[in-house]
Amino acid sequence: MPQTNSSARRRPTGGSILLLIVLVVSVAMIVPTIQQLITQRQHITELESQIEESKQQIEQVNDEVDRWEDPAYIRAQARGRLLFVEPGDTTYVVIDDESLPAVEDEPDVSSDLHETNTDSTELFLDSLIRANDADAPQETP
């Protein structure tokens, strides 16, 4: 029968147990710090993407401001949005027949001539007088 050597089976020594305890404690101390670092990195990445989006929005607003400083753009917007026309221009409004509801009964149209009892120059003068007497608009800072 072969003899078993007691040195072949090693028992943990006090130093190896102490080293194992120090290793476990140091890992336990480092894990929350690493988790916090990862969380902060994710937050930084989100903030950087928000900054990029804000920069793009600022660039778009600056482009829009530059366009509004161009008199031709202002004129085009006034014509398109407010239906303003230049002197001598003819305006045509196209109505899509498909989007209008079908008219079943023809409305009654009167052929009688009606006169108004107001004078347009009097209304104009009244409007000027009221505009002159009105309070000036307050400026907001």
Side-chain angles (χ1 to χ4, degrees):
M1 223 182 354
Q3 290 185 349
T4 58
N5 192 354
S6 64
S7 64
R9 283 184 87 198
R10 293 188 182 204
R11 290 190 171 175
T13 62
S16 62
I17 292 176
L18 180 64
L19 182 62
L20 182 62
I21 291 172
V22 168
L23 184 64
V24 169
V25 169
S26 62
V27 167
M29 289 175 58
I30 290 176
V31 167
T33 306
I34 291 174
Q35 287 177 344
Q36 185 179 17
L37 177 69
I38 292 171
T39 305
Q40 286 176 349
R41 280 292 187 199
Q42 290 173 346
H43 188 67
I44 288 171
T45 305
E46 290 172 4
L47 290 176
E48 286 174 345
S49 67
Q50 289 176 0
I51 288 171
E52 284 300 318
E53 289 175 10
S54 297
K55 284 181 181 179
Q56 290 175 355
Q57 289 174 351
I58 289 171
E59 187 175 317
Q60 290 173 352
V61 168
N62 286 337
D63 290 345
E64 187 74 20
V65 167
D66 290 341
R67 276 184 277 186
W68 280 103
E69 289 177 357
D70 183 18
Y73 181 77
I74 295 172
R75 207 173 294 119
Q77 291 300 312
R79 292 178 77 143
R81 293 181 183 186
L82 304 174
L83 303 176
F84 284 4
V85 293
E86 295 285 334
D89 285 352
T90 303
T91 303
Y92 296 99
V93 178
V94 178
I95 299 174
D96 187 13
D97 290 341
E98 295 175 3
S99 65
L100 294 176
V103 178
E104 296 176 10
D105 296 329
E106 292 291 326
D108 293 333
V109 178
S110 172
S111 61
D112 296 338
L113 182 63
H114 296 281
E115 288 187 28
T116 58
N117 296 331
T118 59
D119 183 20
S120 61
T121 55
E122 185 179 320
L123 290 174
F124 178 71
L125 288 175
D126 185 47
S127 173
L128 286 177
I129 292 170
R130 288 184 186 192
N132 186 35
D133 292 340
D135 295 333
Q138 296 178 357
E139 293 184 22
T140 56

